[in-house]
Amino acid sequence: MPLLDFTSLAYAFGRLAGAARFASPEIRRVASLANVASAWRAYRRDAGAGDVGPAHQPSSDPGSILMTDDPRRDAVVLWLAAHGVPPIADAATMVVRMVNATRGFEVDALALLNAAEDALAQAAAGGPLTGACGLADAGPDHPLHGLARAAVAVDVLIRAPDFAESSGHEALLPLPSRSMRHYAASEPAGCWALNLVLVARGIVPPVTGIVPRTVFRLDVTDAQRAAALVDHSTHEALAAFTNLERIESVLARGRDALVGLSRNARAFEAWTLLAALGPTTRKQLMRALGLSRAGADIQARTLAAARLVGLETGGLVSPALPGSSPSPSASLDHGPLCAAAADLDIAMAEIDRLLTRGLDKRN
């Protein structure tokens, strides 16, 4: 029978609870954005890679919520924006605006999400998994109450065929001269829906993807499923704590780098988006900050001047490693088109100035 490592679990959740309690409002806001990005990565893990684009080619960066070509990204952020608690809904709405998300979940996927919401709302005492984890008596004041609610939901949902996971199997891959045996994983079931609902409802903040697919498998014992849940949630809680530390460090680095530069307020706002979401584009910054093309370009150049980002071809803005020089600027910054681009930027900056003056007079 697998032994449950409650010492590591308590340590992970204790550190995370302390860090979240004393985090500044700014760190919490950026962490909510990072949680939406992490929820997307957990969705891809639980729901499978999926088909990306007409040729079903893998995305250039499938793990990035801003750079992915996976059309399901729109559905994830639209659903979180519509169903999340305020911090998650606000963060997801920002991502919706940045990527111009338009296409939501299909009917079958919405049915899984509704089932997960109903299971999470039940006040049942739990079942085999809850008992095997020792969480049956974890009340609202218990540090692991959120994890207990997730276990109760699993006990309810595992009875549904759309959530129960089958086991993988060995298969033969035919080759020209012989056949090779390989392991074929089972098709993903509905674990992704429960993890998305847990994020939307803020059940175990700021942890995402806390439920592993293993807990929905019918071919393992309850003790094995409990061990998988405890080990996986410990890992995810430690990762969430590490992410909070990273966010605090990255924001401090940006504040120090921008303190002596003009236009640093909007540039720092842009930096918080990169700290949470990773590489972005100037067009996405434009949508997020409500700027013109030239206004977004000014913020990107300000970040580059502070050695916080590299400006790459195609309008990509990528965070630079501490102490490193930004990558080469985009092609419009050099070469025969640089003068034309500079003239356009000056004109658009003047439009920004006139619009700002007009808004100030009306206010």
Side-chain angles (χ1 to χ4, degrees):
M1 178 177 177
L3 295 177
L4 302 182
D5 188 2
F6 282 111
T7 301
S8 297
L9 181 67
Y11 175 72
F13 273 85
R15 292 183 77 192
L16 182 60
R21 179 181 178 184
F22 292 103
S24 67
E26 181 181 67
I27 291 176
R28 291 177 185 172
R29 180 178 62 82
V30 177
S32 294
L33 279 167
N35 287 348
V36 172
S38 181
W40 163 247
R41 290 190 292 271
Y43 172 87
R44 280 184 57 91
R45 179 198 71 201
D46 296 334
D51 294 332
V52 182
H56 304 318
Q57 295 298 316
S59 170
S60 58
D61 187 3
S64 168
I65 197 168
L66 298 180
M67 295 294 104
T68 183
D69 297 324
D70 194 328
R72 299 174 300 174
R73 183 269 317 276
D74 284 14
V76 169
V77 295
L78 283 168
W79 190 87
L80 287 174
H83 296 83
V85 293
I88 293 297
D90 293 344
T93 300
M94 172 67 78
V95 178
V96 167
R97 185 162 63 245
M98 293 179 75
V99 300
N100 195 26
T102 57
R103 185 174 179 178
F105 280 119
E106 302 290 343
V107 174
D108 291 346
L110 289 174
L112 293 179
L113 289 163
N114 290 336
E117 287 188 293
D118 291 343
L120 199 60
Q122 293 189 27
L129 178 63
T130 310
C133 289
L135 297 173
D137 298 324
D141 297 328
H142 196 283
L144 299 180
H145 177 62
L147 186 61
R149 290 187 63 186
V152 169
V154 172
D155 281 328
V156 173
L157 293 170
I158 199 171
R159 306 178 197 137
D162 290 333
F163 282 86
E165 288 268 355
S166 3
S167 58
H169 63 278
E170 293 288 335
L172 290 177
L173 180 66
L175 298 174
S177 60
R178 60 186 180 88
S179 294
M180 183 177 71
R181 189 177 297 275
H182 71 103
Y183 178 78
S186 63
E187 287 296 317
C191 180
W192 66 266
L194 177 57
N195 275 324
L196 208 56
V197 170
L198 289 170
V199 172
R201 292 287 173 263
I203 302 300
V204 198
V207 187
T208 58
I210 197 167
V211 177
R213 287 175 55 185
T214 306
V215 302
F216 282 105
R217 286 179 56 177
L218 300 175
D219 62 332
V220 297
T221 66
D222 293 331
Q224 290 172 325
R225 295 194 300 130
L229 179 61
V230 169
D231 290 347
H232 182 78
S233 56
T234 300
H235 172 79
E236 293 299 328
L238 289 173
F241 175 80
T242 300
N243 197 38
L244 282 177
E245 285 190 317
R246 179 194 66 82
I247 289 172
E248 182 180 31
S249 174
V250 169
L251 293 183
R253 176 186 163 215
R255 193 177 293 107
D256 292 343
L258 294 168
V259 67
L261 298 177
S262 62
R263 300 179 181 271
N264 60 356
R266 300 312 300 274
F268 183 75
E269 190 176 352
W271 176 242
T272 63
L273 296 174
L274 281 106
L277 305 174
T280 183
T281 65
R282 300 189 199 197
K283 181 180 288 186
Q284 289 169 345
L285 287 179
M286 177 184 73
R287 292 169 177 164
L289 302 178
L291 300 173
S292 66
R293 175 196 176 277
D297 184 72
I298 288 171
Q299 306 312 320
R301 290 174 185 271
T302 301
L303 293 175
R307 296 185 176 274
L308 292 172
V309 304
L311 306 181
E312 303 175 22
T313 303
L316 185 64
V317 183
S318 298
L321 294 175
S324 66
S325 298
S327 56
S329 299
S331 58
L332 284 182
D333 296 338
H334 300 283
L337 294 180
C338 66
D343 289 342
L344 177 61
D345 288 344
I346 291 173
M348 295 303 292
E350 179 65 16
I351 291 175
D352 276 347
R353 187 182 64 79
L354 293 173
L355 288 174
T356 302
R357 180 185 298 177
L359 289 174
D360 292 341
K361 288 182 178 178
R362 284 199 291 271
N363 293 333

